[in-house]
Amino acid sequence: MLWTAVGVVALVFLIGLEITARHYGERGPLSTQVREVLFAPKPGPLYGGLALMMVVLTWRQRFVAAGVAIGVDAVFVLGRWACGVRVPEGHLFGNGALWAMLGCAVFAITRRTGTERVLLLKGVGLGLLLVTGRKIGDSWLLITSKTRPTVLDPYVATADHALGNPSWLAGRALDAIGPAGSNLLGLIYAQLAVAAIVVALYQLRKVAAERRFPRHHLVRTFLLIGLLGPAIYMIFPVVGPVFAYGPGASGTGGVEWSVANLWPHTPPPIAMPHPVPYDGITPRNCMPSLHTAWATAIFIHTRTGPRLLRYAGTFWLIATLAATLGFGYHYGVDLVAGVVFSLTVEAALRTFDRGWDRSGLRLVAHGTAVFTLLLVSYRWLPVHMAARPWLFGPLVLLAMGSVIHGYLRTTKRWTSPDAAPALLPEPQPEPV
């Protein structure tokens, strides 16, 4: 009953996004997914989903699925070349991965029964969720740009004075480093999903042998962050320093839309903020920083891995923070909100697995309260924060630190031997 209800809600949500996207003249997540059965898609998400699906397969089945995917893609690529069909840049192949996943779903329904069918369908669902999640995110971003004609960047930029305008500092530092540093950080920023798939594959490496999924893994946190985050964008629309105070990036924005052309060399002056209009193309995807939230989730889930994976998780978090600030995509206060948001989502999922015990509920309530307080402060107290950075800067960091401390303390208690529930003795037969 629970999973049926979840499925119905998800379907209604997808249909709603599809209708809304169509209203603004764009394809929604459902039609885009169906279209990629035949038309050239982006290969990365689809082959990432195929890799996740393969965790439920044996090595022989993995080679068969990979061979089918590559073979189908070869047919599509040769067919498009023979017919002279032009495809967008970066969309050369990828259909084969989707066909392989759909084929495994059909195979599970027609040739498997019982737990084997359920396990294979879970694997297919996990792979398709990754692909569909990307499309849901794209639709969400489209909706934010169309339904929020004004942005709140002046409020966030003013509040960011409490932290010393870190985006302006990082932007100047990145300019000083030169193109080599920018190219490296750009690659890390763009390939965050690849890092998540690597960590998820490590966590799910034993699924094929044990014939079951672990209770909690990174994909759950990653997808939930991507689902909930854009809803907050609707409440707190922000485009980022390089857009609101600079020339824009990635083909959107422009000096004509900016409040002033100041980033990254001149911090914005402290003044009474107000909403400002912005173009109808740039996503309002800053508050909170979901890149920071995802990188934080990767960092958390690598803590129990081998040393190399732990080092990689730490490096990816630091590099992602540097990229989000250095490229002007986020303010410092966005990153603080992203860390709190990620820890709260992670705590909620782990508390759900534990049956909503009291310590978990306290942790989730604390994270939610701190996150709400941060957003309220950025919106209603930015001038006070900018005028008293010696007070509000430490308070913002302490608020984030309190959530980090609460998460570490609570989860350590959960993983300690004393936290394991006591096993009840088996009932013994009464003496005759």
Side-chain angles (χ1 to χ4, degrees), residues 57-84:
L57 304 179
T58 64
W59 277 108
R60 179 180 175 277
Q61 293 169 338
R62 290 170 187 171
F63 284 120
V64 171
V68 169
I70 295 172
V72 171
D73 267 330
V75 171
F76 271 94
V77 170
L78 291 174
R80 292 184 186 114
W81 174 76
C83 298

Short mmCIF file of all heavy atoms in Angstrom, two decimals, residues 57-84:
data_model
loop_
_atom_site.label_atom_id
_atom_site.label_comp_id
_atom_site.label_asym_id
_atom_site.label_seq_id
_atom_site.Cartn_x
_atom_site.Cartn_y
_atom_site.Cartn_z
N LEU A 57 22.76 -7.47 -11.42
CA LEU A 57 23.04 -8.52 -12.40
C LEU A 57 24.31 -9.28 -12.06
O LEU A 57 25.21 -8.75 -11.39
CB LEU A 57 23.17 -7.91 -13.80
CG LEU A 57 22.01 -7.06 -14.32
CD1 LEU A 57 22.32 -6.52 -15.70
CD2 LEU A 57 20.71 -7.85 -14.33
N THR A 58 24.40 -10.49 -12.54
CA THR A 58 25.65 -11.24 -12.46
C THR A 58 26.61 -10.68 -13.51
O THR A 58 26.22 -9.92 -14.40
CB THR A 58 25.41 -12.72 -12.72
OG1 THR A 58 24.92 -12.89 -14.06
CG2 THR A 58 24.38 -13.29 -11.74
N TRP A 59 27.89 -11.09 -13.42
CA TRP A 59 28.87 -10.56 -14.37
C TRP A 59 28.51 -10.96 -15.80
O TRP A 59 28.67 -10.16 -16.73
CB TRP A 59 30.27 -11.06 -14.02
CG TRP A 59 30.90 -10.23 -12.94
CD1 TRP A 59 31.13 -10.57 -11.65
CD2 TRP A 59 31.37 -8.89 -13.09
NE1 TRP A 59 31.71 -9.54 -10.96
CE2 TRP A 59 31.88 -8.49 -11.82
CE3 TRP A 59 31.42 -7.98 -14.15
CZ2 TRP A 59 32.42 -7.22 -11.59
CZ3 TRP A 59 31.97 -6.71 -13.93
CH2 TRP A 59 32.46 -6.36 -12.67
N ARG A 60 28.02 -12.15 -16.00
CA ARG A 60 27.62 -12.56 -17.35
C ARG A 60 26.48 -11.71 -17.86
O ARG A 60 26.47 -11.26 -19.03
CB ARG A 60 27.22 -14.04 -17.34
CG ARG A 60 26.77 -14.57 -18.69
CD ARG A 60 26.39 -16.05 -18.63
NE ARG A 60 25.85 -16.51 -19.90
CZ ARG A 60 24.59 -16.35 -20.28
NH1 ARG A 60 23.72 -15.75 -19.46
NH2 ARG A 60 24.18 -16.80 -21.46
N GLN A 61 25.49 -11.47 -17.00
CA GLN A 61 24.36 -10.63 -17.40
C GLN A 61 24.79 -9.19 -17.67
O GLN A 61 24.24 -8.53 -18.56
CB GLN A 61 23.28 -10.68 -16.32
CG GLN A 61 22.62 -12.04 -16.16
CD GLN A 61 21.76 -12.13 -14.91
OE1 GLN A 61 21.95 -11.37 -13.95
NE2 GLN A 61 20.81 -13.06 -14.91
N ARG A 62 25.78 -8.71 -16.92
CA ARG A 62 26.28 -7.35 -17.16
C ARG A 62 26.91 -7.22 -18.54
O ARG A 62 26.70 -6.24 -19.25
CB ARG A 62 27.29 -6.98 -16.08
CG ARG A 62 26.67 -6.76 -14.70
CD ARG A 62 27.73 -6.65 -13.63
NE ARG A 62 27.12 -6.61 -12.30
CZ ARG A 62 27.80 -6.68 -11.16
NH1 ARG A 62 29.12 -6.81 -11.18
NH2 ARG A 62 27.16 -6.63 -10.00
N PHE A 63 27.71 -8.23 -18.92
CA PHE A 63 28.32 -8.19 -20.25
C PHE A 63 27.25 -8.24 -21.34
O PHE A 63 27.36 -7.56 -22.37
CB PHE A 63 29.29 -9.34 -20.41
CG PHE A 63 30.60 -9.13 -19.68
CD1 PHE A 63 31.01 -10.02 -18.69
CD2 PHE A 63 31.39 -8.04 -19.96
CE1 PHE A 63 32.21 -9.83 -18.01
CE2 PHE A 63 32.60 -7.84 -19.29
CZ PHE A 63 33.01 -8.73 -18.32
N VAL A 64 26.21 -9.04 -21.11
CA VAL A 64 25.12 -9.12 -22.10
C VAL A 64 24.40 -7.78 -22.21
O VAL A 64 24.15 -7.28 -23.32
CB VAL A 64 24.14 -10.24 -21.72
CG1 VAL A 64 22.90 -10.19 -22.61
CG2 VAL A 64 24.81 -11.61 -21.81
N ALA A 65 24.07 -7.16 -21.07
CA ALA A 65 23.36 -5.87 -21.08
C ALA A 65 24.22 -4.79 -21.73
O ALA A 65 23.72 -3.99 -22.54
CB ALA A 65 23.00 -5.47 -19.65
N ALA A 66 25.52 -4.75 -21.39
CA ALA A 66 26.41 -3.77 -22.00
C ALA A 66 26.53 -4.00 -23.50
O ALA A 66 26.52 -3.05 -24.30
CB ALA A 66 27.78 -3.82 -21.34
N GLY A 67 26.62 -5.28 -23.90
CA GLY A 67 26.70 -5.58 -25.33
C GLY A 67 25.46 -5.16 -26.09
O GLY A 67 25.54 -4.62 -27.20
N VAL A 68 24.28 -5.39 -25.48
CA VAL A 68 23.03 -4.97 -26.12
C VAL A 68 23.00 -3.45 -26.26
O VAL A 68 22.62 -2.92 -27.32
CB VAL A 68 21.83 -5.47 -25.30
CG1 VAL A 68 20.54 -4.80 -25.78
CG2 VAL A 68 21.72 -6.99 -25.39
N ALA A 69 23.39 -2.73 -25.20
CA ALA A 69 23.38 -1.27 -25.24
C ALA A 69 24.30 -0.74 -26.33
O ALA A 69 23.91 0.13 -27.13
CB ALA A 69 23.78 -0.70 -23.88
N ILE A 70 25.52 -1.28 -26.39
CA ILE A 70 26.47 -0.81 -27.41
C ILE A 70 26.00 -1.19 -28.81
O ILE A 70 26.10 -0.39 -29.75
CB ILE A 70 27.86 -1.40 -27.12
CG1 ILE A 70 28.39 -0.86 -25.78
CG2 ILE A 70 28.83 -1.08 -28.24
CD1 ILE A 70 29.66 -1.52 -25.31
N GLY A 71 25.46 -2.40 -28.96
CA GLY A 71 24.97 -2.82 -30.27
C GLY A 71 23.82 -1.96 -30.77
O GLY A 71 23.80 -1.55 -31.94
N VAL A 72 22.85 -1.68 -29.90
CA VAL A 72 21.72 -0.83 -30.30
C VAL A 72 22.20 0.56 -30.65
O VAL A 72 21.75 1.17 -31.65
CB VAL A 72 20.66 -0.79 -29.17
CG1 VAL A 72 19.59 0.25 -29.49
CG2 VAL A 72 20.03 -2.16 -28.98
N ASP A 73 23.13 1.09 -29.86
CA ASP A 73 23.66 2.42 -30.17
C ASP A 73 24.38 2.43 -31.51
O ASP A 73 24.30 3.41 -32.27
CB ASP A 73 24.62 2.88 -29.06
CG ASP A 73 23.90 3.71 -28.01
OD1 ASP A 73 22.92 4.39 -28.36
OD2 ASP A 73 24.32 3.68 -26.84
N ALA A 74 25.13 1.36 -31.80
CA ALA A 74 25.82 1.30 -33.09
C ALA A 74 24.83 1.33 -34.25
O ALA A 74 25.05 2.01 -35.27
CB ALA A 74 26.68 0.03 -33.15
N VAL A 75 23.73 0.61 -34.11
CA VAL A 75 22.70 0.61 -35.15
C VAL A 75 22.12 2.02 -35.33
O VAL A 75 21.95 2.50 -36.46
CB VAL A 75 21.60 -0.41 -34.81
CG1 VAL A 75 20.42 -0.27 -35.78
CG2 VAL A 75 22.16 -1.83 -34.84
N PHE A 76 21.81 2.69 -34.21
CA PHE A 76 21.23 4.03 -34.29
C PHE A 76 22.21 5.02 -34.90
O PHE A 76 21.83 5.85 -35.75
CB PHE A 76 20.81 4.50 -32.90
CG PHE A 76 19.41 4.12 -32.52
CD1 PHE A 76 19.16 2.96 -31.79
CD2 PHE A 76 18.33 4.90 -32.90
CE1 PHE A 76 17.88 2.60 -31.44
CE2 PHE A 76 17.04 4.54 -32.56
CZ PHE A 76 16.80 3.38 -31.82
N VAL A 77 23.47 4.95 -34.48
CA VAL A 77 24.47 5.89 -35.00
C VAL A 77 24.67 5.69 -36.50
O VAL A 77 24.71 6.65 -37.28
CB VAL A 77 25.80 5.74 -34.24
CG1 VAL A 77 26.91 6.54 -34.93
CG2 VAL A 77 25.65 6.22 -32.81
N LEU A 78 24.81 4.44 -36.93
CA LEU A 78 24.98 4.16 -38.35
C LEU A 78 23.74 4.56 -39.15
O LEU A 78 23.84 5.08 -40.27
CB LEU A 78 25.29 2.68 -38.56
CG LEU A 78 26.67 2.21 -38.06
CD1 LEU A 78 26.80 0.70 -38.19
CD2 LEU A 78 27.78 2.91 -38.83
N GLY A 79 22.56 4.31 -38.57
CA GLY A 79 21.33 4.69 -39.26
C GLY A 79 21.22 6.20 -39.44
O GLY A 79 20.84 6.68 -40.52
N ARG A 80 21.55 6.97 -38.41
CA ARG A 80 21.50 8.43 -38.53
C ARG A 80 22.54 8.92 -39.54
O ARG A 80 22.28 9.86 -40.30
CB ARG A 80 21.72 9.06 -37.17
CG ARG A 80 20.60 8.82 -36.18
CD ARG A 80 20.83 9.56 -34.86
NE ARG A 80 19.81 9.19 -33.88
CZ ARG A 80 20.05 8.54 -32.76
NH1 ARG A 80 21.29 8.18 -32.45
NH2 ARG A 80 19.08 8.23 -31.93
N TRP A 81 23.73 8.28 -39.52
CA TRP A 81 24.77 8.70 -40.47
C TRP A 81 24.35 8.39 -41.90
O TRP A 81 24.53 9.21 -42.80
CB TRP A 81 26.07 7.97 -40.13
CG TRP A 81 27.16 8.21 -41.12
CD1 TRP A 81 27.93 9.33 -41.26
CD2 TRP A 81 27.58 7.30 -42.15
NE1 TRP A 81 28.82 9.17 -42.30
CE2 TRP A 81 28.62 7.94 -42.87
CE3 TRP A 81 27.17 6.01 -42.53
CZ2 TRP A 81 29.27 7.33 -43.94
CZ3 TRP A 81 27.82 5.41 -43.59
CH2 TRP A 81 28.85 6.06 -44.28
N ALA A 82 23.75 7.23 -42.10
CA ALA A 82 23.33 6.86 -43.46
C ALA A 82 22.21 7.76 -43.97
O ALA A 82 22.15 8.07 -45.17
CB ALA A 82 22.88 5.39 -43.47
N CYS A 83 21.34 8.19 -43.06
CA CYS A 83 20.21 9.04 -43.47
C CYS A 83 20.55 10.53 -43.42
O CYS A 83 19.69 11.36 -43.76
CB CYS A 83 19.00 8.76 -42.58
SG CYS A 83 18.38 7.07 -42.70
N GLY A 84 21.76 10.85 -42.99
CA GLY A 84 22.15 12.26 -42.92
C GLY A 84 21.43 13.05 -41.85
O GLY A 84 21.22 14.26 -42.00
#
